[in-house]
Amino acid sequence: MIDQTKIRNIGIIAHIDSGKTTTSERILYFTGRVHKIGNVDDGNTTLDWMEQERERGITITAAATAVEWKGHRINLIDTPGHVDFTVEVERSLRVLDGAVALFCGVAGVEPQSMTVWRQAEKYEVPVIAFVNKMDRTGADFFMVVDKIQNELGSNAVPITLPVGKQDQFNGVVDLVKNCELFFTEKNGVPVVEERPIPESMVEESAKWRKFLIEKVSETDEGLLEKFMEGKDPSPDEIRAALRKASLSRAICPIMCGSAARNIGVQSLLDGVLDYLPAPKIEEGPLAALAFKIFSDRHNKLTYVRVYKGTLNSGSYVLNSTRNTRERVGRLVEMHANKPITREYLKAGEIGAVIGFDKTLTGDTVCDEDHPVVLEAIEFPAPVISVSIQPETRGDRDKLSLGLAKLAEEDPTFVVSFDHETEETIMSGMGELHLEILVDRLKREHGVSAKVGRPQVAYRETATMQAEVDHKLQRQTGGKGDFARVCLTCEPLPPGTGFEFVNDVKGGNVPKEYVPAVEKGIIEAMSKGVYAGFPIVDLRVSLVDGDYHDVDSSERAFNTCASMAFKDLFRKANPTLLEPVMSVSVVTPGEYLGSVNGDLAARRGRIEAMDKKGVNHEIRAFVPLGSMFGYSTQVRTLSSGKATFSMTFDHYEPVPFSLAEDIVASRAKILAGRRF
């Protein structure tokens, strides 16, 4: 039986190209999980096992594995760094106990670094930082430390320092042990040697060790007393106090290395044991959270984290989120895409269930006699859409089945049908996200399909208050339909969503009809009257109404409310909202002017420009609708030397003239498709 105090459930999180998968591959190698190191460039990594991942050299889906290190079991999840797949980071951090945040020693804190850091903060996950790629030209460990402290607001404290620079980087100073760790090979096997600190670094190491002890002493009275007396605490005392500070997120320990050159990875593994938490074990009946669904042609895997009790193979459990009974067909522990059969999973463990039919991401499964619902997982709404249609009649059913399976796996992928255009619409987090999904439809589900041009997921909102009094009265022989509602609306701050308020005094609208009014309003909001986009950020109040003893019904109030809301919204001076992206472009200085000019032409607002080693970073807010095709354009402008990333930031109003063009264009498209 596994000792839960010797389990670590951790994820590796970072901006794209910081070396997450390379670091994960080294962890697998040093722990003996694999006997040959996989390489991203060679397309033979263990954790990036999907064909698309190996072809593109990026992580698309979070891959789980388990390794052993110094008598401890580490359940490891390697997460994607590309913003289009941020759902994988979100749901992984929801069930993990700790995380390793990787930073590039040259680029430092990048846009997606900030995103994943905020996600870790959201779930209060303790983090240790690892500054990777210290062998690269322009790498600056102390610059990255400063960025983590100032841009991320972290109480970041180095516990290792780099020895040597660029191709001379070959070890680190361990400030806790107060020695150098030299990484070398003996008989082809990487080993770590403890040596005295090099003379050239004695003074600097003493300064940073003092800083470490000062910072840790601020969180530990025993260490503070020793520090004030001028006594040097032992490595074990520093380690114990630092662990306590790390677990409470009072301090973020920072380490450094080069995963590609096998430097610092063993120290990082030690840091995971020393400074990241074991799972909190709660006594009681089974409670587990489903955090990821993955289907192949043979099985549907439901990844779960067990919080209480034991999940047994062959047992029946309650899905308390959906009030359905599920059977645990088989339990497996995943090593990338290779399953290892387990008889049970105990509290603190992560595994996958084969056999669940109705359970989805975020659902709670628990003991049938002790129902409980765990906090679900929140996911961002899609910002980009494309139409998709099968190329042949034979592809129609396969397309429907494939889309349903992919939507079941990915909560940020939404499939809908536009009855006006008679098109199936795929919505996701970005162009790459949808491109990968279309590719998976072809490879995994054998679907040939035609895909339309990307479309922005606009929203509609009101800009002023309004009121309406609407009566529905129909008599068609026999019982008729009667309902009257008086509604008011007012705009809400961006991101607030929708609020419904029942302000009816007395019994003018019976209580049993009020839910039908709210439902009618929500149905009308799903397709706005301005341009057919969903309506957001609005408070609607039911202030008065009337009913008939015989002719009133839920249906009548639902229909009346829907019609009333459409009139109300037209009076409230509607406007279009567009998704605005936070864009970061890193470019050599000679192309700075061209890149800036192009961003301005795309209605971009330049927020900041910083020096990044030998390059420059431009940070801007740019409407998503202006960013289609940008990857090709920025490569052309910079002779292929610039890179960029973007992430959704917020919605804001579309300029009036452009909004009118969008509305007219959409109306023309709809009219053309109707006839």
Side-chain angles (χ1 to χ4, degrees), residues 609-651:
M609 286 190 287
D610 296 311
K611 198 87 162 50
K612 285 268 183 177
V614 297
N615 294 318
H616 294 263
E617 181 189 30
I618 306 162
R619 294 199 296 276
F621 288 124
V622 191
L624 174 61
S626 303
M627 290 299 290
F628 294 144
Y630 184 67
S631 56
T632 300
Q633 177 69 359
V634 78
R635 281 197 298 268
T636 301
L637 290 174
S638 65
S639 301
K641 295 178 181 177
T643 60
F644 84 101
S645 65
M646 67 176 182
T647 181
F648 169 74
D649 194 87
H650 64 281
Y651 272 90

Side-chain angles (χ1 to χ4, degrees), residues 455-528:
Q455 302 292 321
V456 176
Y458 292 103
R459 298 286 185 265
E460 299 180 21
T461 195
T463 60
M464 58 184 285
Q465 296 181 354
E467 61 182 46
V468 70
D469 186 334
H470 190 89
K471 182 167 70 173
L472 171 71
Q473 189 169 13
R474 291 191 296 221
Q475 198 73 36
T476 56
K479 184 180 177 181
D481 288 315
F482 180 88
R484 174 175 163 258
V485 296
C486 300
L487 303 177
T488 65
C489 73
E490 59 182 306
L492 292 177
T496 305
F498 168 66
E499 290 182 12
F500 174 75
V501 179
N502 178 16
D503 268 343
V504 176
K505 303 295 188 290
N508 289 356
V509 178
K511 289 182 179 178
E512 61 265 30
Y513 295 145
V514 171
V517 172
E518 182 178 6
K519 184 180 178 184
I521 293 169
I522 291 172
E523 288 171 353
M525 290 179 68
S526 66
K527 190 174 283 272

Side-chain angles (χ1 to χ4, degrees), residues 56 158 241 280 302-303 394 419 430 459 468 471 505 607 628:
R56 297 167 183 261
K280 293 179 181 177
T302 305
Y303 286 76
H419 292 280
R459 298 286 185 265
V468 70
K471 182 167 70 173
K505 303 295 188 290
E607 296 294 310
F628 294 144

